[in-house]
Amino acid sequence: MRGGASPDPDHGIAMIQPPLLQLTDISKSFGAIRALRSAQFELRAGEIHALAGENGAGKSTLMNIIDGILRPDSGEIRIDGQAVQIDSPAAAQRLGIGFVHQEIALCGDVSVAENIFMPQTAQSRRKLMGGAELIARAAEVLAPLAEIDPRLPADHLSISQQQLVEIAKALTLDCRILILDEPTAALTEHEAQKLFAIMRGLAAKGIGIIYISHRMAEIFGTCDRVTVMRDGQHIRTDRTADITPADVVNAMVGRKLDTLYPPKMTGDRGPEILRVEGLTDRRFRDVSFALHRGEILGFGGLIGAGRSEIARGITRLEGDARGRIWLEAQEVAFRDYADCISRGIVYLSEDRKGDGVFLDLSIAANISALDLSKVAGRFGVIDPARETAQAWRIGKSLRLKAASMAQRVASLSGGNQQKVALAKLLAVEPKVIFLDEPTRGVDVGAKAEIHAILRGLADSGVGIVVISSELPELIGLCDRVLVVSEGCITGALSGPDLTETNIMTLAAPGALASAGTGT
Amino acid sequence: MTATTTTQQDRTLLSRLFGARETGLVLIILVLFLIMTFASPHFLTWTNMRAMTMAFSVEAIVVVGMTILLISGGIDLSVGSVTALAMVVAGLLFLAGVNPWIAALIAIAVCAGIGAIMGFFVTVVGLHHFIVTLAAMVIARGLCLLGTGGRPLGLFELPASFKWIGIGSIGVIPVAIVIFVIVVAVFDFLLRRTTAFRLVYYTGSNEKAAAYSGIRTKRVIFLTTMLCSTLCGVAGVIYMARFGSAQPTFGVGMELNVIAAAVIGGASLSGGKGTIFGAILGAILLSLVSSSLALLNVSVYWQDIIRGSILLAAVTFDHYLVKRQAAGGRA
């Protein structure tokens, strides 16, 4: 132990000592998006402090600032009462900060032992260890966590074992502040319990632990205090003994809708256009639902719950889902995604730049990509005039802002790129559209436009499924929302039941029993 | 003011015809042509022009295949060996008494088969183009040497009607050049204007986005790999007709020349970019430089150094162009 913060056996009692870590008025913007607005956070030595909030509440940004990955625009960081500058992860490491990220970043070909001691090797703070010593030390660190052979290459391990190796890596750093970002997402119940025991042991030694999680059971079972963030701001900090899970959920979602959404479907919904029954694959099971003509159906839930996988399973973009699908009351079995497109079902990926558009190609070439026959004459010869005309026609209906349809998509703004991605789908005049996070990373104005466009499409008879991690979007835009949790549909919400609290309750299975909200 | 407007108009006119890259190459070639006309009395002669065009016209057929493959995101290192293999297969069959035209067709089919095998390893097994075609390069060369015992096959009995495709003329124009012009024109049109070849651009530009657009990308990559080898077969057969022999060691290092031409012409090793016309201009430029240096009695060793430098300059230019466009796009 460096520093010498005294262990506080009775944590929770106000201390005369300054807090171990104190963040004051931290603000951070990414372009027009304000990720953090005067955020506050305090961590005491020897406590396990839960940090809760919706996706996009600013938790990760705040943690990345503590770890030196991001620099705050303004605000102050104090450790033991001393103001500090954290310019890089290496600087954070020198200050005794350890961060276990949600994403696993091990070197696959390298042994577990070498992965665990990689930070020391990189810093060359220590003399390099020989093979035998390295393996013995690694085995020692791993022992309380799991039975993992430190000589194995890291990519021979399961995801949960890899996650445990990441934790072991942080434990070797002698850190005083340990950040764990949803560490149990990939762990089994048994592994998670072992992790909690280790966390309590570390806390007893005076280490401060920041624990990010969505799971109410973990927050209330393991943590001493909980801080809730929303919209980049600090909402409340309480001892877990003093509040209930419902208080935390309410604090996470309790806000008014602040953007205008288009009016919802009026009158009776149209006939059923798509029916899915008992769809099962590796990442989801027994998924059944029906989509109606003119309806916007939301898929709500946490990131990683399996919503995208369900959409990609239905459209046969990935996996090998079993189950039955009816399109316009006719049972169908799609061979592949191309077959699915030809029947009028299309999917828009959440990763716009990665797989939504062709950045190097022109707007016109992008828009005609799904069905070139629409712009081609005999013998498959493309008619450039028709291709350009199609691009202008669809572009205009989406209010796409571009000087020319020959312009490369890379030169457009995020909102306009998203419109090109949408225009690609509309060119085939689809009957059913799956949209995965359709407004992620687009500015507020373009977002409202995209919402209006989607409602317009629904009104023209298209069935639309929107996957969104933004609760206001689900509630404001969708006629009905299916909540997915751990690969299962846990509920359908519409009308007055369609509230943020209900979605969050159904989304986090741990909260289902304890929060006790009626559905 | 007026001058600026005119220049801009001119530029748009030229760009409309060719695109920026092609325009630049045409200008460089013209300048080089003018310089050489004054620098050497032997340059602008019918014999020299004919020899120069003949020199690159057959290889240009391979450049076409390579460019299409590069656009789809692949690469083929085996082109030189496969071209030689076409000569050897056709040559052996002819010596065994097969009609030369049939022998040529079989040789082209063998090359297509090699392309299909490489395509299988890339798309079904999932190996990288570079490794698969490197292996094929070595194996095809081995087959050539095995089939001939390492010695060139003299094909003295080749009928004149067959040799015509290599050394004959239509009027004053050599047949090889006619074939080259037809191949280039056809594939340039196909690539620019047809749906089937548009899929090549989609696949190479962003394979995942192409798959998410319902394009069967593996099929596209398989077919472009096969097409490239098939065109090598065509080139090999024409070479055989021209030389009247089958040379098992022919085409060593051809892949570098061919890839260089395509890249100078605007193709990118990361796929999604390039045109046939640009690649042919790249091939013309390289060939022009080679023959100019030869006419000026520059050592052959210098030629390689200069060709390598041109390649580096072209790619560096591209790199900055892309960076500037990206910066402009963000603003």
Side-chain angles (χ1 to χ4, degrees):
Chain A
M1 279 298 306
R2 295 171 304 146
S6 60
D8 181 18
D10 189 6
H11 25 69
I13 291 175
M15 290 177 293
I16 303 110
Q17 274 182 300
L20 176 57
L21 172 71
Q22 184 151 36
L23 303 172
T24 317
D25 291 334
I26 303 282
S27 294
K28 175 76 186 173
S29 296
F30 300 101
I33 300 155
R34 292 175 68 189
L36 290 175
R37 312 171 189 209
S38 297
Q40 320 284 336
F41 188 77
E42 181 202 88
L43 178 72
R44 296 177 193 155
E47 75 164 340
I48 304 176
H49 194 137
L51 183 58
E54 278 184 59
N55 300 325
K59 296 170 299 188
S60 301
T61 309
L62 193 64
M63 293 305 110
N64 284 332
I65 284 171
I66 297 174
D67 198 41
I69 295 166
L70 296 173
R71 304 276 290 277
D73 298 335
S74 62
E76 192 183 53
I77 306 173
R78 284 176 181 274
I79 290 181
D80 291 329
Q82 300 281 318
V84 291
Q85 292 282 335
I86 309 177
D87 304 335
S88 66
Q93 218 173 303
R94 279 195 295 277
L95 289 164
I97 297 166
F99 193 165
V100 179
H101 292 264
Q102 202 180 348
E103 299 83 28
I104 291 163
L106 297 175
C107 301
D109 298 327
V110 171
S111 78
V112 168
E114 283 167 300
N115 266 292
I116 289 177
F117 290 101
M118 198 176 301
Q120 282 87 335
T121 317
Q123 298 271 313
S124 38
R125 287 196 305 209
R126 230 159 270 187
K127 236 173 62 185
L128 289 179
M129 283 178 277
E133 191 198 350
L134 192 76
I135 287 161
R137 287 274 312 278
E140 205 175 296
V141 180
L142 282 168
L145 281 165
E147 280 176 32
I148 298 172
D149 184 346
R151 287 164 301 189
L152 285 177
D155 59 6
H156 283 212
L157 305 182
S158 69
I159 296 294
S160 75
Q161 287 176 320
Q162 291 187 12
Q163 179 74 64
L164 291 168
V165 170
E166 284 282 7
I167 293 166
K169 201 164 129 185
L171 295 181
T172 63
L173 293 173
D174 289 339
C175 48
R176 305 174 55 210
I177 298 166
L178 180 62
I179 306 168
L180 297 167
D181 190 356
E182 299 204 36
T184 56
L187 299 187
T188 65
E189 183 60 29
H190 182 65
E191 290 166 329
Q193 289 307 329
K194 280 190 179 175
L195 174 64
F196 297 147
I198 290 168
M199 283 163 56
R200 287 191 206 98
L202 293 172
K205 285 199 282 182
I207 294 174
I209 298 175
I210 303 172
Y211 187 79
I212 300 175
S213 179
H214 285 292
R215 301 183 185 187
M216 292 302 140
E218 294 178 358
I219 293 174
F220 283 86
T222 309
C223 303
D224 304 304
R225 289 199 295 166
V226 54
T227 289
V228 179
M229 288 185 72
R230 188 175 73 224
D231 292 338
Q233 285 171 310
H234 172 266
I235 302 300
R236 61 188 292 176
T237 298
D238 300 272
R239 287 170 27 132
T240 50
D242 297 342
I243 57 165
T244 66
D247 294 331
V248 173
V249 171
N250 283 333
M252 279 162 69
V253 300
R255 78 176 130 183
K256 284 183 290 186
L257 301 187
D258 49 10
T259 35
L260 280 175
Y261 287 93
K264 300 218 175 179
M265 185 169 60
T266 49
D268 294 333
R269 54 187 182 183
E272 205 172 86
I273 188 162
L274 181 75
R275 165 172 286 278
V276 173
E277 269 181 24
L279 199 73
T280 299
D281 203 347
R282 217 167 46 81
R283 296 286 303 277
F284 52 86
R285 58 192 180 279
D286 202 21
V287 168
S288 301
F289 68 92
L291 173 70
H292 293 256
R293 201 179 278 280
E295 181 184 36
I296 301 184
L297 178 65
F299 275 11
L302 303 174
I303 289 171
R307 298 166 300 167
S308 307
E309 286 79 3
I310 292 171
R312 291 202 283 258
I314 293 169
T315 51
R316 300 216 71 92
L317 270 159
E318 66 176 33
D320 190 19
R322 294 178 309 282
R324 301 176 74 186
I325 299 170
W326 287 264
L327 179 64
E328 295 177 316
Q330 275 214 319
E331 187 159 6
V332 286
F334 304 124
R335 227 167 354 112
D336 54 14
Y337 182 47
D339 187 27
C340 190
I341 292 174
S342 69
R343 309 265 197 141
I345 302 183
V346 293
Y347 168 82
L348 178 64
S349 153
E350 61 189 312
D351 181 5
R352 175 177 66 236
K353 290 199 177 182
D355 43 46
V357 294
F358 303 97
L359 289 170
D360 288 335
L361 302 183
S362 70
I363 297 172
N366 265 274
I367 291 178
S368 52
L370 265 67
D371 186 1
L372 282 165
S373 70
K374 284 226 154 48
V375 295
R378 275 208 285 176
F379 310 117
V381 175
I382 295 171
D383 179 349
R386 257 163 81 186
E387 186 168 42
T388 310
Q390 167 180 281
W392 277 116
R393 181 171 52 77
I394 299 171
K396 204 172 274 176
S397 75
L398 300 180
R399 284 194 277 168
L400 174 68
K401 287 180 200 77
S404 144
M405 289 298 130
Q407 208 175 324
R408 282 167 72 234
V409 171
S411 66
L412 299 175
S413 71
N416 280 310
Q417 288 183 1
Q418 187 68 345
K419 288 180 183 176
V420 171
L422 193 55
K424 273 174 67 186
L425 308 186
L426 297 186
V428 303
E429 292 161 21
K431 295 171 186 156
V432 175
I433 307 179
F434 287 89
L435 299 150
D436 207 342
E437 306 285 358
T439 61
R440 177 185 287 168
V442 306
D443 61 51
V444 181
K447 202 166 181 168
E449 270 186 79
I450 289 173
H451 289 149
I453 289 160
L454 295 181
R455 180 51 71 188
L457 281 169
D459 288 344
S460 73
V462 179
I464 297 177
V465 175
V466 172
I467 299 168
S468 175
S469 296
E470 260 183 74
L471 296 177
E473 181 169 80
L474 283 175
I475 291 165
L477 179 67
C478 301
D479 299 308
R480 200 156 55 97
V481 171
L482 301 178
V483 183
V484 181
S485 176
E486 296 179 320
C488 292
I489 293 181
T490 49
L493 301 166
S494 59
D497 289 336
L498 185 47
T499 64
E500 303 200 356
T501 316
N502 284 348
I503 295 176
M504 283 305 277
T505 309
L506 289 167
L512 194 60
S514 38
T517 329
T519 41
Chain B
M1 289 296 261
T2 333
T4 332
T5 328
T6 323
T7 339
Q8 268 172 0
Q9 272 174 354
D10 285 349
R11 199 171 293 155
T12 40
L13 191 72
L14 267 176
S15 309
R16 218 178 297 149
L17 281 175
F18 303 136
R21 163 59 63 111
E22 285 90 340
T23 313
L25 280 172
V26 167
L27 291 178
I28 292 172
I29 290 169
L30 285 178
V31 168
L32 209 58
F33 200 87
L34 280 177
I35 293 175
M36 278 313 294
T37 308
F38 289 106
S40 165
H42 307 292
F43 180 75
L44 195 60
T45 58
W46 179 246
T47 332
N48 184 47
M49 287 295 117
R50 190 186 147 105
M52 234 169 62
T53 326
M54 287 288 280
F56 82 92
S57 63
V58 187
E59 196 167 283
I61 295 172
V62 181
V63 172
V64 168
M66 181 70 82
T67 305
I68 296 170
L69 182 57
L70 285 171
I71 294 170
S72 77
I75 194 167
D76 187 352
L77 302 179
S78 73
V79 288
S81 309
V82 172
T83 303
L85 188 65
M87 296 169 92
V88 168
V89 169
L92 285 173
L93 286 170
F94 174 71
L95 290 178
V98 179
N99 173 298
W101 295 98
I102 306 233
L105 283 179
I106 293 173
I108 293 170
V110 166
C111 293
I114 289 174
I117 293 168
M118 294 194 294
F120 171 83
F121 276 100
V122 170
T123 58
V124 181
V125 181
L127 306 180
H128 197 280
H129 256 114
F130 192 94
I131 300 301
V132 172
T133 60
L134 181 67
M137 166 174 135
V138 180
I139 292 172
R141 183 66 67 193
L143 289 173
C144 289
L145 297 170
L146 193 69
T148 58
R151 288 177 301 278
L153 305 174
L155 308 170
F156 311 107
E157 308 291 313
L158 266 184
S161 65
F162 184 79
K163 284 167 107 169
W164 179 77
I165 59 170
I167 54 174
S169 293
I170 299 173
V172 288
I173 319 263
V175 176
I177 292 173
V178 173
I179 295 174
F180 149 74
V181 170
I182 290 172
V183 168
V184 168
V186 166
F187 279 100
D188 191 71
F189 176 80
L190 289 175
L191 207 53
R192 274 179 211 273
R193 291 288 298 276
T194 63
T195 58
F197 281 83
R198 174 67 76 76
L199 301 184
V200 176
Y201 280 101
Y202 289 137
T203 302
S205 173
N206 183 341
E207 191 179 340
K208 208 161 167 221
Y212 275 53
S213 302
I215 293 163
R216 290 160 178 139
T217 53
K218 286 196 186 310
R219 187 192 291 181
V220 171
I221 294 168
F222 179 86
L223 290 174
T224 52
T225 309
M226 205 172 138
L227 176 66
C228 183
S229 298
T230 310
L231 288 175
C232 289
V234 173
V237 166
I238 299 173
Y239 275 127
M240 184 180 80
R242 177 187 296 178
F243 300 146
S245 67
Q247 300 169 12
T249 55
F250 182 79
V252 173
M254 184 202 268
E255 63 283 348
L256 298 180
N257 231 355
V258 168
I259 294 168
V263 170
I264 290 170
S268 154
L269 291 190
S270 51
K273 270 189 279 188
T275 59
I276 298 293
F277 188 57
I280 295 307
L281 289 175
I284 292 176
L285 179 62
L286 284 178
S287 162
L288 186 61
V289 168
S290 289
S291 60
S292 302
L293 293 172
L295 277 178
L296 297 174
N297 287 324
V298 177
S299 148
V300 282
Y301 304 121
W302 271 107
Q303 294 188 19
D304 286 342
I305 295 168
I306 289 167
R307 281 195 311 205
S309 306
I310 292 173
L311 177 62
L312 205 58
V315 178
T316 309
F317 174 74
D318 250 7
H319 182 69
Y320 279 102
L321 205 68
V322 168
K323 272 218 313 222
R324 222 184 52 193
Q325 281 178 346
R330 225 176 285 129

